[in-house]
Amino acid sequence: MDVEVLGRVLSTLPVDDDHPYRSGPWRPQTVERAADDLEVIGEIPRDLDGVYLRNTENPVHPAIESYHPFDGDSMVHVVGFRDGKAFYRNRFVRTDGFVAEQREGRSLWAGLTEHPGHAIRADGWGARGRMKDTSSTDIVVHAGVALTSFYQCGDLYELDPLTLDTLGKSTWHGDFPSHCGVSAHPKVDAATGELLFFNYGKESPYLHYGVVSADNRLVHYVDVPLPGPRLPHDMAFTENYAILNDCPLFWEPNLLAKGAHAVRFHPELPTRLGVLPRYGSAEDIRWFDAEPTFVLHWVNAYEDGDEIVLDGFFQSDPVGERSHWPGDPRYARMFRMLSFDGMQTRLHRWRLNLATGQAKEERLSESFTEFGMINGRLGGRPHRYAYASTGEPGWFLFNGMVKHDIFTGAEDAYRYGPGVYGSETAMAPRVGSVEEDDGYVITLTTDMNLDRSECLIFDARRISDGPLARIPLPERVSSGTHSTWAPGESIPNWRIADDAPAAVGL
Ligand SMILES: [Fe+2]
């Protein structure tokens, strides 16, 4: 493997770091690399054409007091596939916070489990305030550019999807909602090229929703009034509607009034699901009451007559009260709610009837899965399959994947093996394919046995057969979650280059 070092960044983490989410499979990286024409075990299908992009929380400084795995800086990995060959890059996203901390050589903002008043810098980002906008949560490709985002709301950082150079922050021609930022999990509608997004905060109306056109202009932005500050993580959409949520898991209002941000589950309150026309306003929102839970991720939604069909993951124990943390007991309270078995996350379907105003819901699987992905061409349209991850008991680690057939209830599963963890399993439709599951499923592994990482390519119709191809990466990469697939045809200059793109320095 011919590997080029693109850059190294300053890390002040201790070499013998024993934090459970900065060691082992979560050991962060400090070196940026590029490798072309990667070695392949098996064969890369020639009709796999495009890029798998994965965001990663990758810290480089000790926290001021207490590190949470959602606080890490953003490192993006790309594995690109073209003509049966693969190339790789990994780069840090040059967020304002990352650059400032590189300059100072230490953490300047308070993380999720730290008191905002303990931040060194008085400014900051995030719905809570005085956090660093890490941009390390999610990644999508819109208008030919990769966008990284932050779950507590911040800027959208634009990256070249091939070189991973940080290009800057989305401005939307001056209309970017800087007062709130944008939450992770904006949605790209492959049919229209639009980007649908939301943001949230502690000031009334507490939630906003907007639409960005295929040519990157903010064309719609409205208030979504809520009863108080909430912590929505994801949204969904159909061909004609956007679906937002008000789940009963939020900062305790009495403590919030005193400046403390303590997340509590309120099982006496319903989950409220808000449906509004894609270009609707606050008066058009229809709210549906459903069973109390917290939904971290939706799978997809679509219209079926008078009904909106919404698939996502229901948490039976959103705060992990009954969970078992297998690691260092000092961290039990902080990390008990991060595992799928702790939260008891199961695939679930809500049917929201626009004629009657009633919501019906049903469990679709008994398995604990989350981070479900679909063939991205079907966003907002009827889907049958979801490719989800299974969790290592007690941990925020993916130990395998499951293809859910929602029509039949069948589950086609694969385990990566003891000590091997994957990332979100993006589905890459085969070039020229028509049927929903005619394509490939891709993940990156962190293999603690072989001390290396691989990109795995599965036939989406034969998950349990194991990977068609394994592609060793230059270095063992830190465990990470959200990913996306972008077909080559969606990327500018994809076919102009004779080979993988030239590496560009820091
Ligand atoms: Fe997420």
Side-chain angles (χ1 to χ4, degrees), residues 57 70 137-138 151 184-185 233-234 296-297 370-371 396 424 481-482:
E57 292 100 347
F70 298 167
T137 309
D138 189 24
Y151 73 100
H185 297 305
H233 183 76
D234 196 4
L296 193 62
H297 298 116
E370 237 284 6
F371 290 79
F396 187 49
E424 203 175 39
T481 57
H482 285 305

Side-chain angles (χ1 to χ4, degrees), residues 284-339:
D284 301 317
I285 302 174
R286 302 274 306 273
W287 287 102
F288 295 81
D289 284 0
E291 289 297 314
T293 186
F294 183 76
V295 178
L296 193 62
H297 298 116
W298 307 105
V299 173
N300 192 33
Y302 60 89
E303 295 158 32
D304 181 15
D306 288 335
E307 291 184 322
I308 303 277
V309 178
L310 173 64
D311 288 353
F313 294 92
F314 187 99
Q315 299 182 359
S316 300
D317 186 4
V319 288
E321 278 181 345
R322 298 185 292 278
S323 71
H324 171 66
W325 161 252
D328 185 331
R330 288 176 298 167
Y331 298 101
R333 191 172 157 74
M334 201 186 304
F335 298 139
R336 68 181 185 185
M337 60 194 287
L338 286 178
S339 65

Side-chain angles (χ1 to χ4, degrees), residues 134-156:
T134 61
S135 212
S136 59
T137 309
D138 189 24
I139 187 161
V140 297
V141 172
H142 175 246
V145 171
L147 303 175
T148 57
S149 53
F150 179 43
Y151 73 100
Q152 279 253 352
C153 303
D155 282 304
L156 293 176

